[in-house]
Amino acid sequence: MMSNDKAGLTPREIVGELDRYIVGQDSAKRAVAIALRNRWRRQRVPEEMRADITPKNILMIGPTGVGKTEIARRLAKLIDAPFVKVEASKFTEVGYVGRDVESMVRDLVEEAVNLERQAAERDVAGKAEKAAEERILDLLLPPSPVGNRGAEETSSGGEDKTKTRETFRRMLREGKLDERIIEVEVTQKAPMSMIQNFSNEGVQDMVVQLQDMMGMRGGGGPKKQRKVTVKDARTIVRDEEAAKLVDNDAVQRGALARAEEMGIIFIDEIDKIISRGGGGGSGGGPDVSREGVQRDLLPIVEGSTVTTKYGRIKTDHVLFIAAGAFHGAKVSDLIPELQGRFPIRVELAGLSGGDLVRILREPKNSLLRQYEALLSTEGLTLEITDDAITEIAKVAEKANQSMENIGARRLHTVLETLLEDISFDAPERREKRVVIDRDLVVKKLHRVLDSEDLSRFVL
């Protein structure tokens, strides 16, 4: 189930796909594109050499909000690879060294299982749909007892029932029965509160075991009757039938292989686990904890075997991408062993006003397109002029300069401030065409900037 049409994309094609969502940062895009292509190449070298070819892990250096996480996330999504993002600083927050760094590998396997299960359910979707249809028809037309009727009467009644069933089948497919209420048997989920309390303490294995015992995984658990519409019942029954048809053992085997060969773990804020005095960890307290986290990460990144609920997984060929701003520290302050496990280093540039303009205009999922889509649900047509876009970018750039520079994330708060009144009044507006020009941007946003009340722009 690991086959993917995009797994064989060339580096140039990978960069082209990333360009649709991320502006600039060409060096980082090239580095991850080569890393991805090298995985494809590794599968095609002689088997005796394959085990010795390990991923060249990447360290991204740059301020927040310039696209580090988005590059890694989009890369994983591009090839349906399991992807996990962790913050290195979280491993020190619970008060002892290492929250259990192996948890990120277990999370990676969980993601791989989800991807494999989704792929398996797509493969059996046709069969599941047919089985669900028959079950819904059984609920709509329950079999009646034959009793003491004669053979001729039974035969006649059977023909009538078959005709009625086919009539209902046609109506079901045409959606004419969608709002009818029927009673279906559904799996009852166990409450999550206790599970979450354990999870907050980092006891991942206990969480998994409790989930299994309570039937929260794999479709188990007690059943109960529930009244729902036919439309909702089809979804419930179809999912149950798909789960029955999926080979769970095959899913788990495929997931382990997918995680080992295609997994990507993104370790953010790696600069936050550098000792204040440098890489030596000379002091005590927090500095010892930070260096301890580095040493805990080292065997996972180097390549080790981690035991998970689904089996053992080797991390030798998992791609690790680390990132950090490195404002008050240098890469050389990391312990030497960990530095050596990230041989590819790329620096991401801060965003200029021109970059912010491009971010508003170019990406396929740009913020402006998102707001246009959201307001269109209220029947509004949002039009933002070119000079307004330029002015919005200038405001975001100025806010970044006046406060902490959070990169493109500043655009979220600037646009929310600009469009707040329109979003609030949208359901009652009579004028369905809304034009945002430069004058409105100046009036709405510069008043905040000029008064130095920048709290509105704080994320």
Side-chain angles (χ1 to χ4, degrees):
M1 293 183 188
M2 289 176 58
S3 61
N4 188 307
D5 293 338
K6 292 188 176 180
L9 288 174
T10 67
R12 196 177 305 279
E13 290 170 337
I14 294 168
V15 170
E17 289 288 331
L18 294 176
D19 282 341
R20 297 171 62 195
Y21 300 96
I22 302 150
V23 168
Q25 314 301 359
D26 294 336
S27 60
K29 290 175 184 174
R30 286 172 66 91
V32 297
I34 292 170
L36 195 62
R37 183 65 175 184
N38 280 340
R39 287 185 156 184
W40 179 88
R41 293 166 178 158
R42 176 179 167 271
Q43 296 298 325
R44 284 155 180 78
V45 302
E47 191 169 350
E48 61 271 14
M49 189 183 297
R50 197 176 302 163
D52 296 325
I53 300 176
T54 56
K56 303 300 183 286
N57 298 321
I58 300 167
L59 178 60
M60 294 184 182
I61 305 164
T64 184
V66 297
K68 301 188 294 292
T69 305
E70 190 65 12
I71 287 173
R73 181 182 288 115
R74 288 290 172 185
L75 185 75
K77 195 170 183 179
L78 183 62
I79 59 167
D80 279 342
F83 172 83
V84 166
K85 178 194 172 188
V86 297
E87 294 178 0
S89 57
K90 293 296 183 186
F91 294 121
T92 65
E93 287 184 0
V94 291
Y96 56 88
V97 175
R99 168 192 158 227
D100 180 9
V101 294
E102 290 185 354
S103 63
M104 62 186 178
V105 181
R106 288 192 284 267
D107 290 344
L108 185 73
V109 174
E110 288 289 347
E111 287 296 315
V113 169
N114 291 338
L115 289 172
E116 284 291 320
R117 191 175 302 281
Q118 290 167 13
E121 289 179 353
R122 285 195 296 270
D123 290 342
V124 300
K127 292 180 180 178
E129 186 68 44
K130 290 179 181 177
E133 184 176 86
E134 296 302 326
R135 279 182 59 184
I136 296 295
L137 289 172
D138 287 343
L139 292 170
L140 290 168
L141 292 167
S144 55
V146 175
N148 296 321
R149 290 183 297 167
E152 184 177 340
E153 186 180 351
T154 301
S155 175
S156 174
E159 291 176 3
D160 290 342
K161 185 130 187 159
T162 300
K163 290 179 182 179
T164 304
R165 188 179 181 89
E166 292 307 311
T167 300
F168 269 65
R169 188 189 305 277
R170 185 180 68 254
M171 294 171 67
L172 181 63
R173 292 177 178 177
E174 292 173 354
K176 294 179 179 179
L177 302 176
D178 282 355
E179 300 307 314
R180 180 174 293 195
I181 301 296
I182 58 174
E183 196 172 70
V184 296
E185 191 178 62
V186 298
T187 302
Q188 189 171 3
K189 300 294 184 183
M192 285 294 293
S193 57
M194 182 174 68
I195 299 295
Q196 289 171 342
N197 288 336
F198 279 119
S199 182
N200 289 338
E201 295 298 321
V203 192
Q204 289 85 4
D205 289 336
M206 186 179 294
V207 172
V208 167
Q209 292 168 12
L210 284 169
Q211 286 175 338
D212 284 338
M213 290 168 60
M214 294 183 174
M216 295 171 62
R217 300 164 59 89
K223 304 283 187 179
K224 72 170 186 178
Q225 296 296 120
R226 182 178 162 197
K227 291 184 178 181
V228 295
T229 63
V230 168
K231 183 178 181 179
D232 291 339
R234 289 189 73 168
T235 301
I236 294 169
V237 174
R238 183 175 62 239
D239 290 346
E240 286 187 355
E241 291 299 324
K244 291 177 186 176
L245 293 167
V246 168
D247 183 342
N248 287 324
D249 290 336
V251 165
Q252 292 181 18
R253 289 193 302 270
L256 289 172
R258 187 191 284 251
E260 285 185 344
E261 301 294 333
M262 300 175 65
I264 298 174
I265 294 180
F266 184 85
I267 306 174
D268 201 7
E269 296 186 346
I270 197 167
D271 54 321
K272 301 289 180 64
I273 58 171
I274 293 176
S275 303
R276 291 192 181 96
S282 54
D287 283 347
V288 172
S289 178
R290 292 187 183 102
E291 185 177 349
V293 173
Q294 292 186 54
R295 296 201 178 279
D296 283 350
L297 284 172
L298 185 59
I300 304 294
V301 179
E302 281 184 330
S304 59
T305 301
V306 176
T307 300
T308 75
K309 166 185 168 46
Y310 304 100
R312 294 161 69 85
I313 173 178
K314 293 182 178 180
T315 64
D316 302 63
H317 300 289
V318 172
L319 176 64
F320 290 88
I321 302 176
F326 290 93
H327 286 314
K330 304 184 295 293
V331 175
S332 58
D333 290 333
L334 289 165
I335 61 173
E337 299 92 333
L338 194 58
Q339 290 180 49
R341 298 310 301 175
F342 291 92
I344 309 299
R345 296 175 191 176
V346 291
E347 292 197 25
L348 286 81
L351 299 175
S352 65
D355 291 328
L356 294 173
V357 169
R358 292 182 60 198
I359 289 170
L360 287 169
R361 284 178 174 158
E362 295 179 14
K364 183 180 178 183
N365 61 336
S366 71
L367 279 176
L368 293 184
R369 290 192 175 96
Q370 292 175 31
Y371 275 103
E372 288 169 0
L374 286 171
L375 292 174
S376 69
T377 63
E378 305 277 8
L380 267 61
T381 301
L382 180 65
E383 297 179 16
I384 302 181
T385 63
D386 289 342
D387 57 355
I389 292 174
T390 302
E391 198 63 32
I392 291 168
K394 286 181 181 178
V395 171
E397 185 181 23
K398 186 175 179 182
N400 275 339
Q401 291 169 351
S402 302
M403 296 177 286
E404 185 178 356
N405 187 349
I406 57 173
R409 292 189 178 96
R410 186 71 66 191
L411 292 171
H412 289 266
T413 45
V414 170
L415 280 171
E416 196 63 33
T417 301
L418 175 64
L419 299 173
E420 180 181 25
D421 292 340
I422 296 170
S423 295
F424 186 86
D425 297 332
E428 292 86 24
R429 286 183 73 99
R430 294 184 178 180
E431 178 59 50
K432 295 301 183 182
R433 180 171 175 264
V434 181
V435 178
I436 306 291
D437 57 16
R438 182 180 179 278
D439 291 340
L440 181 60
V441 174
V442 171
K443 178 182 176 182
K444 184 76 176 176
L445 298 180
H446 279 269
R447 175 168 47 83
V448 180
L449 285 174
D450 293 341
S451 67
E452 296 185 355
D453 179 16
L454 299 175
S455 61
R456 295 292 300 275
F457 294 145
V458 176
L459 261 182

